[in-house]
């Protein structure tokens, strides 16, 4: 996934100003595709120049107003083509896994404390996802009360395809966090049982 496609997705869900878009990234899309506010504003400019989005007309004076952007047909076509395209999975490159391999050579001294810190972070992230699921998909996979991480009036009707796909993304995040929690718990058991000094590979 790339930042322009993340922005096009968010703007198709709801036209937004740059500031509002950045805040939406902070509380929803940013969970699986992060970007700084500066990167978002820079990409908005590129998308506007390329004809993928445009600023909505406003009756308010130009000075001090926030420009809201909407997606144009070219932007929708770009996103549609990207969704149907082909992209291989990215290799896992996590420094913690490399540090674990290094510990097999130089020893695990100090590593358990870092593993415990990572475990707490992943447990906290899993709890955040669970809160989002309870708020927006309180009926489980078959029902929904609103789009993931978006504040909307409560709904009780059957979920749309968009709702189901948003929930699927959230559940993927939850499954990944559970994987890390399980792995880190096992890693802590192993490092606690291992000697602190080097033991080769």
């Amino acid at each position: 996934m790339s930042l322009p496609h993340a922005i096009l997705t968010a703007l198709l869900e709801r036209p937004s100003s740059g500031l509002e878009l950045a805040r939406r990234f902070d509380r929803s899309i940013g969970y699986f595709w992060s970007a700084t506010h500066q990167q978002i504003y820079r990409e908005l400019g590129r998308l506007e120049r390329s004809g993928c989005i445009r600023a909505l007309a406003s009756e308010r004076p130009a000075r001090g107003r926030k420009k809201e952007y909407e997606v144009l047909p070219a932007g929708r076509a770009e996103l549609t083509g990207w969704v149907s395209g082909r992209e291989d999975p990215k290799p896992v490159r996590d420094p913690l896994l490399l540090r674990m391999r290094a510990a097999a050579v130089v020893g695990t001294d100090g590593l358990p404390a870092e593993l415990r810190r990572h475990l707490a972070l992943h447990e906290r992230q899993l709890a955040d996802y669970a809160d989002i699921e309870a708020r927006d998909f309180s009926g489980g996979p078959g029902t929904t009360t609103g789009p993931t991480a978006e504040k909307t009036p409560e709904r009780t009707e059957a979920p749309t395809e968009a709702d189901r796909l948003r929930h699927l993304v959230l559940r993927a995040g939850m499954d990944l966090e559970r994987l890390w929690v399980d792995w880190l718990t096992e890693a802590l058991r192993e490092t606690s049982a291992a000697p602190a000094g080097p033991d080769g590979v």
Side-chain angles (χ1 to χ4, degrees):
M1 184 176 182
S2 63
L3 181 56
H5 297 119
I7 290 175
L8 288 171
T9 298
L11 291 178
L12 279 170
E13 290 175 342
R14 186 174 72 244
S16 303
S17 68
L19 179 60
E20 184 183 8
L21 190 63
R23 287 172 176 167
R24 290 173 63 195
F25 263 75
D26 287 344
R27 67 176 185 262
S28 59
I29 295 174
Y31 283 126
F32 56 90
W33 191 264
S34 60
T36 66
H37 290 198
Q38 184 179 17
Q39 289 172 323
I40 291 170
Y41 279 105
R42 187 164 54 240
E43 195 58 52
L44 282 171
R46 291 195 187 107
L47 288 169
E48 187 175 21
R49 289 191 297 273
S50 68
C52 288
I53 65 172
R54 70 177 176 187
L56 292 169
S58 174
E59 296 179 358
R60 295 177 57 189
R63 182 167 182 166
R65 72 175 173 86
K66 300 183 182 74
K67 286 199 299 185
E68 283 200 343
Y69 296 92
E70 68 174 358
V71 177
L72 294 172
R76 179 180 283 273
E78 165 62 29
L79 189 61
T80 300
W82 178 75
V83 166
S84 61
R86 179 176 176 177
E87 189 170 356
D88 293 334
K90 297 289 188 267
V92 175
R93 296 181 62 183
D94 192 291
L96 185 62
L97 299 179
L98 183 58
R99 291 169 72 179
M100 183 70 75
R101 180 61 186 252
V105 179
V106 301
T108 61
D109 188 35
L111 183 60
E114 181 67 355
L115 293 174
R116 283 191 291 272
R117 188 178 74 85
H118 277 251
L119 177 59
L121 291 172
H122 284 288
E123 288 175 334
R124 189 178 311 141
Q125 185 65 77
L126 180 57
D128 288 344
Y129 284 155
D131 288 342
I132 293 173
E133 184 175 45
R135 184 189 69 206
D136 296 337
F137 305 100
S138 57
T143 59
T144 182
T145 56
T148 300
E150 298 289 349
K151 293 182 179 178
T152 58
E154 185 170 327
R155 296 183 293 135
T156 56
E157 67 267 21
T160 64
E161 181 183 45
D163 293 326
R164 292 194 298 270
L165 292 177
R166 290 186 184 105
H167 195 186
L168 194 62
V169 171
L170 176 63
R171 285 158 52 199
M174 295 176 75
D175 287 345
L176 286 171
E177 293 304 323
R178 290 189 187 102
L179 184 149
W180 275 112
V181 168
D182 291 345
W183 183 84
L184 285 161
T185 301
E186 182 180 358
L188 279 166
R189 283 198 300 265
E190 293 293 335
T191 54
S192 296
D199 193 30
V201 292

